[in-house]
Amino acid sequence: DTSDTWGHGIVEYNNVIDSFSIEKTSVQKGDISQKLYERWTYNHSYVDVIYSLYQNLPDIYIDIRVNWAEDCKILKMELHPEGFTQNQFIMQGAGGPITRPADGSELPLHHWVKLQGENSEFAIIQNGAFACDCQKGQLRINLVRSNLYGYHEPSERHPLDPQHPTDQGLHTFQFRLQFGNEITPEKLERDTAEFLEP
């Protein structure tokens, strides 16, 4: 990501240069919940992921902690739910749901996104992420972006000027994945309020 702080001139971040590798994993099983823990690493960064299933709750809960130490790179979480290849999707917006084209363009993300499949619906409620893109059934959520703080194109950067990358260090995210046939925007608004204020 060599763009300026505000991403001027950028429509999509699609130059994938690498991916994280799994380092370790463990499972916890109990009467109330089941959890899968994973540690992923890349260069000097790591991501801890905990997937949780709870008794009598149909959704999948994911807690992510990112320790980011990369410069001029963006970290996206990719989701590929099977059977969701529509050319549009719905996301939370100011004042109500917004239908967006699934063309890979970067979009600001509020707290929920919904994909419509042929026989089912998939929604993700989140806390902590700030942008996403969707294309051909692939939903990518931006977790961190280490661009330069306060850099505005077309200004020239002098090598002796202070250059501070953003989003360094620890970041936490919470996700709730829903599958079903009646995931309405009204239900998502209620579930989001419950998720953000448990």
Side-chain angles (χ1 to χ4, degrees), residues 16 19 29-30 37 39 44 62 78 94 130 160:
V16 178
S19 61
K29 289 186 178 182
Y37 164 76
R39 156 86 39 113
H44 302 292
I62 305 174
E78 293 186 1
F130 59 89
L160 298 180

Side-chain angles (χ1 to χ4, degrees), residues 47-58:
V47 177
D48 289 329
V49 184
I50 300 174
Y51 305 89
S52 301
L53 297 175
Y54 296 97
Q55 184 179 6
N56 301 323
L57 295 177

